């Protein structure tokens, strides 16, 4: 067994006795994103040296954009290869075509996959085009593919103002797995700018479950901006509750919250 690089996020710079998870406050989201990219790159390189693959769980939204930009930069300028990387995205709107501008497949292509040397077949995003009748089978297979790939090494998360991780909205049980969900009205309002109004915003999504996320060997949740401060505080300091699915991360023994000053 090869030695893995140490986790390179600094431990709990701004810790206080109310926090139930390790949390680091960075001066800016750019610096935080570079630190997370550094940890991912170190794992990719260690696995390359051992001729093994890395399985990354990826997120969409505004939060991970600087992380992906930094990974693309490392690919271009530092020769970081993604040839040994397999990815599974958290979620996708439903229904939506992969080519749609607001689809998460499109987001991943534009922000990351189109600019790196990842094998296209190694990138997985839930399918927003399936007939309802095949969704259950698809969701089961998504879970099986994660298992077959060896399980998720690092899961990247944002957090919604509902406290959701992936699209696990309030009420999602701890045991939930990949499935179709109904989006919370606050989530749809937050997304409505992208879709040109709430009436055009999808009502459903396919998402990894809470349990799927908790099974990742390492989880990094990132949050930027003052509008995330209150929900981050609840997730980190509050009780573990399905009403704030990010609070379930308190039960993970290798999780790290990375926030900027404002959050
Ligand atoms: P954001 O969304 O990154 O666009 O803020 C995060 C989320 O809803 O999980």
């Amino acid at each position: 067994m090869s030695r893995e690089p140490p986790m390179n996020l600094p431990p709990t710079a701004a810790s206080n006795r109310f926090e139930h998870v390790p949390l680091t406050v960075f001066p800016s989201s750019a610096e935080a994103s570079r630190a997370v990219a550094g940890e991912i790159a170190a794992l990719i390189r260690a696995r390359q040296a051992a001729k093994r693959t890395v399985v990354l769980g990826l997120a969409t939204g505004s939060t991970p954009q600087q992380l992906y930009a930094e990974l693309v930069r490392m690919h271009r300028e530092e020769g970081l290869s993604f040839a040994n990387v397999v990815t599974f995205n958290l979620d996708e709107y439903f229904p939506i075509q992969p080519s749609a501008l607001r689809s998460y497949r499109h987001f991943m292509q534009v922000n990351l996959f189109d600019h790196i040397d990842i094998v296209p077949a190694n990138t997985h995003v839930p399918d927003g085009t399936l007939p309802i009748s095949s969704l259950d089978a698809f969701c089961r297979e998504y879970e099986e593919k994660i298992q077959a790939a060896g399980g998720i090494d690092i899961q990247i998360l944002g957090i919604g103002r509902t406290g959701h991780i992936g699209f696990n909205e309030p009420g999602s049980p701890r045991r939930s797995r990949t499935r179709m969900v109904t989006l919370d009205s606050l989530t749809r309002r937050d997304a409505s700018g992208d879709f040109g109004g709430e009436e055009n915003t999808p009502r459903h999504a396919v998402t990894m479950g809470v349990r799927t996320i908790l099974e990742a060997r390492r989880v990094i949740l990132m949050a930027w901006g003052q509008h995330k401060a209150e929900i981050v505080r609840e997730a980190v300091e509050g009780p573990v509750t399905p009403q704030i699915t990010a609070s379930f991360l308190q039960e993970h023994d290798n999780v790290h919250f990375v926030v900027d000053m404002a959050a």
Side-chain angles (χ1 to χ4, degrees):
M1 184 99 184
S2 68
R3 268 173 68 87
E4 304 260 300
M7 302 304 174
N8 68 354
L9 290 172
T12 325
S15 66
N16 69 46
R17 67 200 165 86
F18 301 111
E19 287 167 12
H20 301 151
V21 298
L23 178 142
T24 303
V25 182
F26 281 85
S28 69
S29 56
E31 282 169 73
S33 301
R34 279 197 295 274
V36 175
E39 177 171 328
I40 291 172
L43 181 62
I44 292 174
R45 289 193 171 110
R47 291 283 176 87
Q48 263 155 14
K51 301 207 181 334
R52 291 175 59 203
T53 55
V54 178
V55 183
L56 299 178
L58 299 180
T60 48
S62 56
T63 306
Q65 276 181 320
Q66 295 173 94
L67 165 64
Y68 298 151
E70 175 64 6
L71 290 173
V72 169
R73 189 199 64 76
M74 290 170 115
H75 172 68
R76 287 188 178 144
E77 295 176 14
E78 298 171 11
L80 177 67
S81 171
F82 291 78
N84 67 326
V85 176
V86 178
T87 65
F88 290 89
N89 265 79
L90 283 166
D91 47 17
E92 178 61 284
Y93 289 112
F94 187 91
I96 201 161
Q97 292 296 319
S99 57
L101 262 163
R102 296 303 168 197
S103 84
Y104 285 163
R105 165 55 78 177
H106 182 76
F107 175 100
M108 290 310 302
Q109 293 302 136
V110 169
N111 284 280
L112 185 63
F113 299 152
D114 286 350
H115 312 290
I116 58 177
D117 63 339
I118 195 163
V119 178
N122 285 349
T123 68
H124 306 88
V125 181
D127 188 345
T129 69
L130 290 170
I132 299 268
S133 58
S134 14
L135 258 182
D136 278 355
F138 174 85
C139 291
R140 253 195 324 275
E141 277 166 31
Y142 203 69
E143 295 273 341
E144 284 163 10
K145 280 184 190 163
I146 293 172
Q147 294 305 322
I152 293 169
D153 291 299
I154 299 181
Q155 175 67 55
I156 298 298
L157 298 175
I159 182 170
R161 286 198 299 150
T162 61
H164 70 201
I165 47 176
F167 274 135
N168 293 286
E169 299 288 19
S172 300
R174 191 192 184 290
R175 63 173 187 284
S176 54
R177 290 203 174 271
T178 303
R179 68 204 187 288
M180 187 168 87
V181 292
T182 302
L183 296 177
D184 189 273
S185 53
L186 177 59
T187 298
R188 290 185 62 237
R189 209 177 316 142
D190 282 350
S192 64
D194 290 342
F195 286 95
E198 232 169 293
E199 63 285 3
N200 303 319
T201 306
R203 291 175 185 282
H204 299 282
V206 176
T207 184
M208 280 186 198
V210 173
R211 180 133 179 217
T212 324
I213 293 168
L214 290 177
E215 281 174 357
R217 284 185 275 277
R218 166 101 165 134
V219 177
I220 300 174
L221 184 147
M222 307 186 297
W224 326 134
Q226 209 198 329
H227 63 299
K228 297 289 176 74
E230 179 56 25
I231 195 68
V232 167
R233 191 188 64 73
E234 289 184 56
V236 168
E237 298 180 358
V240 176
T241 165
Q243 290 314 112
I244 297 174
T245 54
S247 70
F248 284 118
L249 297 171
Q250 293 178 24
E251 297 176 347
H252 196 285
D253 61 14
N254 190 6
V255 63
H256 205 117
F257 278 45
V258 174
V259 304
D260 66 1
M261 290 289 221

